[in-house]
Amino acid sequence: MFLVGGTFLAFLLIGAPVAFAIGLSGFVFFVNSDVMPLSIGVQKIANVSQSFPLLAVPFFVLAGHLMNESGITDRLFKFSNVTVSWMAGGLAQVSIILSTLMGGISGSAVADAAMEARVLGPKMTENGYSKGFSAAVIALSSLITATIPPSIGLILYGYVGNVSIGKLFLAGIVPGILMMTVLMVTAYVISKKRNYVSEGARIPTFREFLCAVVDAKWALLFPVLLIATIRGGVFTPSEVGAFAVVYAAAVGFFGHRELTFDGIKTAFGDALTDLGMIMLIILMSGMVGFAITFLQVPQSVSGALLAGLSDPTVIVGVILIILFVSGLFVESTVLVLLLTPIFVPIIKQLGVDPVHFGILMMTIVTLGSMTPPVGVAMFTVCAIMNVKIESYVRESLPFLAAIFVLVFALLLLPDVVLFLPRLAF
């Protein structure tokens, strides 16, 4: 396993694409194995693609891009602006609310952060918000998409760990709302101290709020339909992804009348670009996943952890620390595909619910996208807004502290995460 891991890290260090680093490290395992022919490795790549639950990924990615082209994103922004822009740090609050709502649309933290950096970033700096604060709020609020359904990460975790995706979707709602709350409180406290208040800001009237709700009704209805159809047994998670594509197209054509043929071409082009990267990583992980299982890595790691520790909560806490450190250097999708087969058997052996662990894991590994040294969402937002990394890091510390406190609370209080899945299933 050291040879496989060393090969993977070596290719990452020289700047090779992640998919090739994974594939070549898996290839090294089969080339150096005396009992496993290389043809088995090729079969494992093919086997990964033959998965019905995995169909949810391309469907939801395409649905997210179609919704961007159908006017849903603009209406969500207007709704968020009406409801919270009157508060201290109004535009920061808009970013956090928008991330929560977009979590049910894009399912991608990086896509959400990039969109908000373009739309909200200039407005925040124009209204006196510091660039570092603006970038930190936008990037870190996109973490909410890690748990709010239809999170792409939760789909992959459920697929690799053989965990119910429907339960994961339901389990992510309360943590997502709590994440929104703690980030809003943190932004409010900082903004109040710095006097980040928009001129002429006022609480909206009931009529203004109602108009915003009606205008964004199709966007607000989608997450509700998503959960209701899965819980009601109408669709499987894969089928509801196909439903999301049809829903986005129907809203664009008939509800908002903004979706054009050019918009469809743009959505398909963007979706294909995203999927090319995601699916190549997933396919290449088939060989490495098999190597991890064959070499009994989960059993070795489990033995090492269980030998010195006995409390399940402490062990899960140690695993989360390992995941956070790994997330600082490796993209979240890769970590989910590579480490889920290692850690899920361990936490099951401890009696920890894999749904509870999945929510914590996705939050922690996605956080790596917002932190140095290789945070994709961080670099994306800072590049779009022309923000220095050191300024971003300094302003992000209060938000990171709030996130860690919330994760620690969710670790100690599993019933908060598991309340909705138990109620529904």
Side-chain angles (χ1 to χ4, degrees):
M1 193 60 202
F2 289 108
L3 181 61
V4 175
T7 304
F8 174 67
L9 292 174
F11 277 107
L12 282 185
L13 289 173
I14 64 173
V18 173
F20 290 105
I22 295 173
L24 289 170
S25 59
F27 178 76
V28 165
F29 165 75
F30 284 97
V31 167
N32 287 274
S33 175
D34 297 327
V35 293
M36 285 292 163
L38 188 57
S39 59
I40 297 295
V42 177
Q43 289 176 22
K44 292 303 173 184
I45 294 175
N47 288 344
V48 171
S49 67
Q50 307 303 306
S51 168
F52 187 71
L54 205 58
L55 283 172
V57 175
F59 281 135
F60 277 121
V61 170
L62 175 59
H65 286 293
L66 282 172
M67 288 180 179
N68 286 337
E69 297 296 329
S70 65
I72 285 179
T73 302
D74 292 339
R75 285 165 173 78
L76 286 177
F77 172 73
K78 291 175 184 176
F79 171 80
S80 304
N81 195 46
V82 168
T83 52
V84 295
S85 63
W86 56 273
M87 299 171 65
L91 290 175
Q93 310 292 0
V94 170
S95 172
I96 296 166
I97 289 287
L98 188 58
S99 288
T100 308
L101 297 173
M102 285 299 295
I105 303 298
S106 69
S108 167
V110 177
D112 171 52
M115 180 275 294
E116 290 192 26
R118 292 187 181 95
V119 175
L120 276 172
K123 292 184 180 180
M124 292 179 75
T125 53
E126 285 171 12
N127 280 269
Y129 296 71
S130 73
K131 280 191 172 185
F133 175 81
S134 304
V137 170
I138 289 172
L140 286 163
S141 66
S142 70
L143 179 63
I144 300 170
T145 63
T147 59
I148 291 286
S151 164
I152 302 299
L154 288 181
I155 295 172
L156 294 178
Y157 171 84
Y159 159 67
V160 177
N162 195 25
V163 181
S164 168
I165 295 174
K167 288 183 179 180
L168 287 167
F169 277 3
L170 280 171
I173 294 174
V174 172
I177 293 173
L178 290 175
M179 183 73 70
M180 175 194 76
T181 305
V182 298
L183 290 176
M184 287 183 71
V185 170
T186 305
Y188 178 85
V189 171
I190 295 172
S191 299
K192 195 78 174 173
K193 188 175 180 181
R194 299 181 182 179
N195 198 31
Y196 289 158
V197 181
S198 302
E199 279 187 41
R202 60 178 179 80
I203 299 175
T205 64
F206 178 74
R207 180 181 177 80
E208 289 171 335
F209 175 76
L210 191 62
C211 288
V213 171
V214 171
D215 193 39
K217 59 184 179 295
W218 299 116
L220 299 174
L221 185 61
F222 174 65
V224 178
L225 290 175
L226 186 83
I227 298 300
T229 52
I230 292 177
R231 173 60 191 93
V234 179
F235 298 125
T236 66
S238 299
E239 292 167 345
V240 84
F243 163 74
V245 173
V246 175
Y247 183 85
V251 169
F253 280 124
F254 306 112
H256 298 160
R257 304 187 182 212
E258 292 183 19
L259 188 61
T260 63
F261 182 69
D262 287 338
I264 292 174
K265 285 199 302 182
T266 300
F268 268 90
D270 292 342
L272 286 172
T273 300
D274 290 346
L275 286 171
M277 174 186 65
I278 294 171
M279 294 307 296
L280 193 57
I281 292 173
I282 293 172
L283 292 176
M284 291 298 104
S285 69
M287 287 194 294
V288 176
F290 176 80
I292 288 171
T293 305
F294 181 79
L295 295 172
Q296 297 187 320
V297 174
Q299 290 85 336
S300 301
V301 175
S302 174
L305 288 175
L306 298 178
L309 302 170
S310 57
D311 187 282
T313 303
V314 174
I315 295 173
V316 173
V318 170
I319 292 173
L320 292 177
I321 293 171
I322 293 170
L323 288 171
F324 174 70
V325 174
S326 302
L328 295 176
F329 304 97
V330 184
E331 204 270 326
S332 60
T333 303
V334 178
L335 289 179
V336 172
L337 293 170
L338 297 184
L339 299 184
T340 297
I342 295 176
F343 290 129
V344 167
I346 296 174
I347 61 102
K348 284 182 177 178
Q349 186 179 344
L350 296 169
V352 176
D353 194 307
V355 173
H356 177 216
F357 177 73
I359 299 301
L360 297 177
M361 177 177 178
M362 280 315 307
T363 302
I364 288 297
V365 299
T366 307
L367 186 59
S369 296
M370 295 102 200
T371 53
V374 292
V376 179
M378 174 190 71
F379 283 122
T380 301
V381 171
C382 289
I384 291 173
M385 296 180 60
N386 193 26
V387 177
K388 293 181 178 179
I389 298 298
E390 53 268 30
S391 175
Y392 167 90
V393 172
R394 184 173 59 253
E395 296 281 11
S396 68
L397 293 177
F399 297 98
L400 288 172
I403 290 166
F404 285 132
V405 169
L406 176 61
V407 171
F408 182 68
L410 294 176
L411 171 62
L412 297 179
L413 302 169
D415 289 340
V416 174
V417 178
L418 299 173
F419 168 72
L420 282 180
R422 288 171 178 168
L423 187 67
F425 288 92

